[in-house]
Every structure is written in C-alpha cells, then in structure tokens.
Amino acid sequence: PNPVGIIPRGENLYVAISDGYNYAQGYKDGFKVVKIDIARFATTGEIRVGMNPSRFTCDADGRLFVTCLGDYASTPAQIWCIDIDDRAAVFATGSMAAAFDHRLYVIHSVTDWTTNQTSTTYQVLDTRSGNALPSTFGTVSTPVDPIAIATQPKTGHIFITSRSTLEKKVRFTTPGHLYRYTSDGLLIGQ
C-alpha cells in the first residue's frame, strides 16, 4: 500500500492509500483513506473509497473529494466525496478535480493506449448537490492533455498543467504548458 495523497481537515489528516504498484493483484489494498489524529499522530479509522485513490481537494464546507484512478482499463476513474461525518460515496466520473467554494472542477481524461487517442471532458459540479453548473470551463482554449488541476483559494482562478503534444514519441519529453483560467473558465493566460 502506497500513501499518495494527503489533506488536513480539522484536527485530522486524511491519507489516500493507492496500492498503485500492485496492479497485478487488482490494487487489493488500494481502496481506502486513512484518518490520522494529528495531535496523537495515530490512526483513528479507515474510510472505504474507490480503486487507487490519489489526490484530494476540499470545498468551502469541508467536504473532501478524492480522485480514485481505477485500473486505467476496465475500472474508470471516479471522484469520491467524503462528507464531514466521514461517509464516502461516488460523486462523479473524473480523473482529476479541484474545488473552489461550492464548485468542483472535474476533468476526465481517458487514453486508449491501443490507438494513442485521448478524450477529455470537463464539467463544473455543485459540491452540495452534485448538479452540473453552467460554465465555460473546458469549452475555451482547452489544454491538449491535462495532467493536474488546482484552484487559487482567494480568486478561484483555475490552473491546469498539460503536455504540449499527444505525439507518442515526444509526448513525455517535450516541454508542457501551464494554463490559467477565471473561475468561470475563461482563459487568462498560458
């Protein structure tokens, strides 16, 4: 089991345990988030989530959202929500997410490795209801191949890193890009 994501909430730390290097055994120990009391630095519980959890984000009310990457094949990536009472449930389909206030910016990027084709969808969800919110996010000047997403806590600006090409031979060696958007999804700069 590999601890890969961490986020504080109140007096606790939440640590995503991915078991990401154990794909041969179906990530068998990678379906949990461990809760740690900061003062005692002791585990106080485990929360069952989807397969291969990784990064966290948190909304204005303290709801945690953890990206569970699945197995990159038959089990799709999902965003799970851990509410303030530590109850967990699937919230959305997505491979990365970032929260600002009561908005969750979700990117779902899937690559078919047999054809080297990547499809990417974008959505903004209300973190309280799960309902889609109207937004230009993902409709204007979208990155070629998103890698990570974050939001700026004061302004709500969205930052996305991306590879600059999908060309198989240079995809991982060519310099990438950093995009900056308003909280409504309008491009500010690259």
Side-chain angles (χ1 to χ4, degrees):
N2 313 104
V4 295
I6 188 168
I7 193 167
R9 178 169 73 178
E11 303 301 317
N12 298 288
L13 292 176
Y14 291 78
V15 181
I17 307 297
S18 81
D19 205 21
Y21 298 112
N22 194 10
Y23 55 87
Q25 294 185 6
Y27 306 89
K28 69 177 185 165
D29 294 318
F31 290 84
K32 63 185 171 186
V33 169
V34 175
K35 183 177 179 180
I36 299 171
D37 179 286
I38 295 172
R40 296 184 298 130
F41 210 64
T43 299
T44 60
E46 293 183 359
I47 302 163
R48 173 92 176 170
V49 295
M51 179 187 284
N52 198 7
S54 63
R55 296 187 177 113
F56 288 98
T57 190
C58 185
D59 80 353
D61 294 331
R63 288 179 201 85
L64 302 180
F65 296 88
V66 60
T67 302
C68 298
L69 297 173
D71 64 4
Y72 309 102
S74 60
T75 302
Q78 299 174 319
I79 310 298
W80 279 62
C81 177
I82 301 172
D83 70 16
I84 58 170
D85 295 317
D86 291 339
R87 293 178 301 229
V90 174
F91 190 79
T93 299
S95 50
M96 59 192 89
F100 173 70
D101 195 27
H102 292 110
R103 285 177 267 176
L104 187 68
Y105 299 93
V106 178
I107 300 174
H108 189 54
S109 184
V110 178
T111 300
D112 180 339
W113 297 108
T114 60
T115 63
N116 200 37
Q117 297 295 311
T118 299
S119 64
T120 306
T121 58
Y122 298 80
Q123 61 181 334
V124 181
L125 301 173
D126 185 306
T127 59
R128 298 162 294 191
S129 66
N131 293 332
L133 298 172
S135 176
T136 58
F137 177 64
T139 64
V140 179
S141 303
T142 56
V144 172
D145 188 16
I147 303 301
I149 182 172
T151 53
Q152 204 284 335
K154 290 184 181 179
T155 64
H157 287 175
I158 307 159
F159 298 91
I160 300 174
T161 59
S162 175
R163 294 182 185 97
S164 59
T165 182
L166 293 175
E167 175 60 40
K168 194 174 187 175
K169 292 182 180 181
V170 295
R171 180 178 184 181
F172 299 105
T173 58
T174 304
H177 299 289
L178 173 64
Y179 295 79
R180 181 180 182 186
Y181 300 88
T182 66
S183 60
D184 292 324
L186 299 174
L187 182 67
I188 296 172
Q190 173 185 337

